[in-house]
Amino acid sequence: MLRRAPHHPVKARMSPRTTMPASLRFGAMTAVALSLLLTACVSNTQSTAASENVAAKKIPAKVSAGTSLTVGAPDLKVALELSGQIHKLPFKVKWANISGGPQCSEAFRADALDICSAAEIPSINAHWTGLDTKLVAAKFRKDPTAYPIYELGIAPGAHIKTLADLRGKKIAYSPGQAQGALVLRILKKAGLTQQDVDLVEMASTGDVYPTALGNRQVDAAPIADVNIKRYLTKYGRDGGTTIKHGLRDDPGHLWALTDSVSNAQKSAAVRELIKFWARAEIWIDDHPKQWIEGYYVKDQGLSREDGEYLVERSGHPDFPADWTGAIERQQQTVDLLAKEQKHKAFDAGILFDRRYERVAADAVAGERKTS
């Protein structure tokens, strides 16, 4: 039985058919993987967040130069440095070398972070665990099914060629991460339920999923980015493959602590940060060679070939000026997770701070046509 992180003192919940191979237990119980898995997982016995309504709070027209934000978006920092914009921020920034749901949630709870980059799932889980946060910016991909973040990795010899072939198979599953929600959506698309498969609960960190696939400890697992390329290179000769899931998996957000956007000056700083963030994303899209060299190679330590592969897969950014569609898709995710993970459904609209709805789109309107 897995143990929860200290400040979430509840038992980990596993579905009746969820299993964990003995050969994976040691890796899953390492400090990093344990923290990422257990702080991300949610229990329906925990209190939901109060979800303060900040819509009536006016955001000042200007931000004080003395205002400070702690920002968890390492890639944004590099983009602003490469584009020469980092010193033009009209407020003080403390850059935290963290991003993604589990790390940001921990920092939010410790009052050590104001805003970070994350996908759609962390804000939902935050609500279910009593952490009051808001999504303040939204970015998607143009033609998202042609440029998915994830593909479904298939283990050698698993005999899975379509989603329907997942019946009776072992699938890697991380209930508190985007990969876990994607697995549930894939099952729904295939007309399957959790009872039709074996969900193998493990955190998707590093190369855990590709390794589990290559060792045939699971039959299928959602893998992303350079892990797709590396998995096929390493295990393709043995029969390892991937299949497209055909679903949207592209939500990206700036995610803020509600206490931060409730503060007048910090709310103004968040607005300005969103503008710089959106312009930085356009700069990245327009300067792939500089991004590959400055970020993927120099900052991340990847090969130039890997960087080129990632740029090719990423497509082009889209910043909607109207969040109605984004909220509807978020609601579908809330409803699915509530049903499959035994949580209380709620109105997904409370997660979005719509005072910032047009900020990103307006910031790049002169540079890129937005929807």
Side-chain angles (χ1 to χ4, degrees), residues 111-131:
D111 290 324
L113 188 69
D114 293 301
I115 188 169
C116 76
S117 58
E120 61 179 338
I121 305 305
S123 63
I124 297 173
N125 285 339
H127 178 79
W128 277 326
T129 56
L131 178 62

Side-chain angles (χ1 to χ4, degrees), residues 181 184-185 188 332-341:
L184 295 178
R185 293 172 61 216
K188 182 178 180 181
Q332 293 171 2
T333 303
V334 168
D335 294 342
L336 177 64
L337 294 181
K339 177 183 177 182
E340 298 295 336
Q341 297 180 352

Side-chain angles (χ1 to χ4, degrees), residues 109-287:
R109 293 184 189 280
D111 290 324
L113 188 69
D114 293 301
I115 188 169
C116 76
S117 58
E120 61 179 338
I121 305 305
S123 63
I124 297 173
N125 285 339
H127 178 79
W128 277 326
T129 56
L131 178 62
D132 195 2
T133 62
K134 300 294 181 185
L135 298 173
V136 297
K139 177 177 74 78
F140 301 92
R141 293 182 174 187
K142 294 180 180 180
D143 199 0
T145 55
Y147 295 95
I149 295 175
Y150 298 96
E151 292 182 18
L152 196 61
I154 306 302
H159 305 296
I160 299 172
K161 297 187 180 301
T162 69
L163 299 184
D165 295 333
L166 292 171
R167 182 182 296 274
K169 303 297 185 179
K170 294 180 292 184
I171 306 173
Y173 178 62
S174 50
Q177 296 181 278
Q179 295 90 332
L182 179 60
V183 165
L184 295 178
R185 293 172 61 216
I186 288 173
L187 292 179
K188 182 178 180 181
K189 180 179 179 179
L192 303 174
T193 70
Q194 291 189 52
Q195 286 66 45
D196 295 319
V197 299
D198 282 328
L199 295 181
V200 182
E201 190 168 324
M202 66 180 79
S204 176
T205 57
D207 63 352
V208 170
Y209 278 12
T211 299
L213 286 167
N215 292 337
R216 308 185 191 193
Q217 293 161 320
V218 294
D219 299 307
I223 53 178
D225 299 328
V226 75
N227 273 333
I228 297 172
K229 175 176 175 285
R230 291 175 177 174
Y231 174 67
L232 294 175
T233 298
K234 187 173 183 179
Y235 298 105
R237 70 190 67 177
D238 300 323
T241 62
T242 66
I243 59 176
K244 300 288 182 66
H245 52 70
L247 297 164
R248 289 198 72 157
D249 63 3
D250 60 330
H253 299 284
L254 288 183
W255 181 36
L257 194 62
T258 299
D259 282 349
S260 297
V261 294
S262 295
N263 177 283
Q265 280 301 310
K266 284 195 173 187
S267 70
V270 166
R271 180 192 60 222
E272 298 307 309
L273 183 72
I274 294 168
K275 295 177 183 178
F276 277 80
W277 168 77
R279 291 170 185 149
E281 292 291 339
I282 295 299
W283 183 91
I284 291 169
D285 194 38
D286 288 341
H287 299 81

